Amino acid sequence: MAEISFFHNPMSRSQIVHWALREAGVAFETVPVDWNAKPQALLDANPMGKIPTIIHHAADGDVTISEAPAICHYLAEVAPGQTLLPTPRERGAYFRWLFFAAGPLEQATTARAMGWEVPEGREGMAGFGSYERTVDTLEWWLADHDFVCGERFTMADVYVGSAVDWGLVFGTLPDRPAFAAYAERFRAHDAYRAAKDAHNALIAQAQQESQQDG
Ligand SMILES: N[C@@H](CCC(=O)N[C@@H](CS)C(=O)NCC(=O)O)C(=O)O
């Protein structure tokens, strides 16, 4: 059995974890998730039936983790050498932006995609304030930092980078120079490219199968 069981559908946030697994260099087996017939093992592990979800077959027993940013950080912990974890000096930026992307940024971009607007006068109650405030704040940081923690790539870049990647490709983020320059830096990573290649191959295969069925 591989070290990690990875529930995956290429058209989902499990792409983030696919990249994280490759950055971490841990052995994993992919368990395909068909939206219309989710594997029982996924539902047993995560009653939300959501992916990404992984099961780490650790020496002292299985550990189930869901929520993409939690999985990313967990993988940085179990990765050989732990080089994707922040140094003590980098910890503040690492956790700040990891949680910023999981909270305000995810909420702001989802609200935008769904057409939900914060009612006038209620920005103070919404964790993301407004789409503009959230996006401007991320831009402010990335304009001055090559990576989330400064000069060095850490696991936070897999999660924040995935949000920027997705946002630029699908238009949920504006195409600003700081986002484009950041994307260029993380897209140069071998692990990013390997995950993308695998992702594109799975999409092509699914499209071929649906054409054959049709
Ligand atoms: N909060 C979760 C969100 C996961 C999520 O919504 N995944 C979607 C795919 S992108 C999913 O599994 N959808 C299937 C469903 O809800 O049944 C995370 O950040 O990991």
Side-chain angles (χ1 to χ4, degrees), residues 37-156:
K38 290 179 183 165
Q40 190 56 43
L42 169 63
L43 299 172
D44 290 344
N46 180 3
M48 282 282 273
K50 290 264 189 195
I51 54 174
T53 295
I54 65 166
I55 302 176
H56 179 207
H57 307 290
D60 57 352
D62 284 358
V63 181
T64 298
I65 312 115
S66 66
E67 306 311 313
I71 297 172
C72 286
H73 183 73
Y74 184 90
L75 291 174
E77 293 272 0
V78 300
Q82 298 189 321
T83 54
L84 295 158
L85 286 177
T87 63
R89 188 73 206 149
E90 292 168 338
R91 253 183 233 149
Y94 180 96
F95 286 112
R96 176 182 184 184
W97 296 104
L98 190 62
F99 281 76
F100 183 88
L105 186 59
E106 162 96 18
Q107 290 165 15
T109 51
T110 301
R112 180 51 60 108
M114 299 284 185
W116 299 329
E117 286 298 330
V118 178
E120 218 182 307
R122 306 293 294 279
E123 280 191 11
M125 204 177 159
F128 66 98
S130 71
Y131 176 84
E132 288 74 19
R133 280 163 76 182
T134 302
V135 169
D136 290 351
T137 302
L138 182 65
E139 182 190 26
W140 161 78
W141 188 260
L142 292 177
D144 261 357
H145 299 83
D146 282 352
F147 295 103
V148 165
C149 294
E151 290 171 7
R152 204 175 69 86
F153 181 96
T154 63
M155 190 56 100

Side-chain angles (χ1 to χ4, degrees), residues 190-213:
D190 288 348
Y192 170 91
R193 299 170 78 86
K196 273 287 164 226
D197 288 348
H199 163 80
N200 290 337
L202 280 174
I203 300 274
Q205 188 190 332
Q207 280 168 347
Q208 205 178 11
E209 281 167 9
S210 82
Q211 274 165 7
Q212 280 164 359
D213 289 348

